[in-house]
Amino acid sequence: MPPEASHAVENSPSSKDDDVPLENSTKDTPPENITAEFEEEVDYVDIDPEALSLEDQASCLSSWFLFYLTPLLKLGATKILDSKDVGPPSKCDRAKSCYDSVNALWIKEVERTREVNAAKRTKHEEALAKCGDDAKKIAKLGSFTPAPPNLAKVLWCAFGKWKIIWAMSLYVLSSLLQFLPVLILNDLVKYFEMGSPPNYQALLFHPWGDVVGLLVFPLLVALLQTRSQ
């Protein structure tokens, strides 16, 4: 082969190497319409502040068993739910209601703490005056440190102490009921291991009672845990 021909072959571009960056460039470039669906604006419906939520409108039975969510779930199976379908939140869960109750009690707590600190400061100054020039007694009394307002007390009273106690009681009760299915399963194992009917009196419950308990107690535990939240 002549030198010029070999030089031309060496300098000739490789079509295989040139195709790689072209393929990568096309793969890295997303289609123009891929983000179109994410650029749609969402129309938020203004919620009436005086409107009642589905939970507030529900009866006691519907609130415990969440029956008021059935129409909403049926509607969600046919369309995408929006704020108009869901409705406003419960009054006790709204930020304005929580802020108003906490802010009112916080102002009272700050005033009460200021009065208590003023009274304690006066007593501390009187005790310092009685010490005179005794450095040991003055060092023992130390400087007065005002007490801060009790935020935990404010939150406890604002959200309702009886509601918190009720929720904690339901949760403790549900935790205790979780041991019953274990006892029932142990009772059923004993039942199947016994060979004669007279020995069935050693069981904690009747065999059919154990079967019903395996159905009822887990549902009751789930119900109590839902209400505790």
Side-chain angles (χ1 to χ4, degrees), residues 12-45:
S12 62
S14 177
S15 60
K16 183 178 180 181
D17 295 338
D18 292 342
D19 292 341
V20 174
L22 292 176
E23 292 179 357
N24 293 337
S25 61
T26 56
K27 289 182 179 179
D28 295 338
T29 304
E32 295 180 356
N33 58 350
I34 192 171
T35 58
E37 56 179 328
F38 300 103
E39 296 177 356
E40 297 180 357
E41 295 183 358
V42 180
D43 295 332
Y44 293 96
V45 179

Side-chain angles (χ1 to χ4, degrees), residues 71-81:
L72 188 63
L73 295 176
K74 289 182 179 180
L75 182 62
T78 58
K79 57 168 291 190
I80 298 177
L81 299 177

Side-chain angles (χ1 to χ4, degrees), residues 34 51 61 64 69 93 119 137 228:
I34 192 171
L61 183 64
W64 271 78
L69 293 178
D93 297 331
K137 292 183 179 180
S228 66

Side-chain angles (χ1 to χ4, degrees), residues 165-217:
I165 293 174
W166 174 250
M168 294 175 62
S169 301
L170 292 179
Y171 186 80
V172 171
L173 182 59
S174 66
S175 299
L176 295 176
L177 290 177
Q178 289 180 357
F179 291 99
L180 286 178
V182 179
L183 297 176
I184 291 175
L185 288 175
N186 189 26
D187 208 32
L188 287 175
V189 171
K190 290 182 179 179
Y191 168 74
F192 288 115
E193 289 179 349
M194 292 177 180
S196 57
N199 295 330
Y200 295 165
Q201 297 179 356
L203 300 176
L204 295 176
F205 308 101
H206 190 274
W208 283 110
D210 292 337
V211 174
V212 175
L214 287 177
L215 173 65
V216 173
F217 288 117

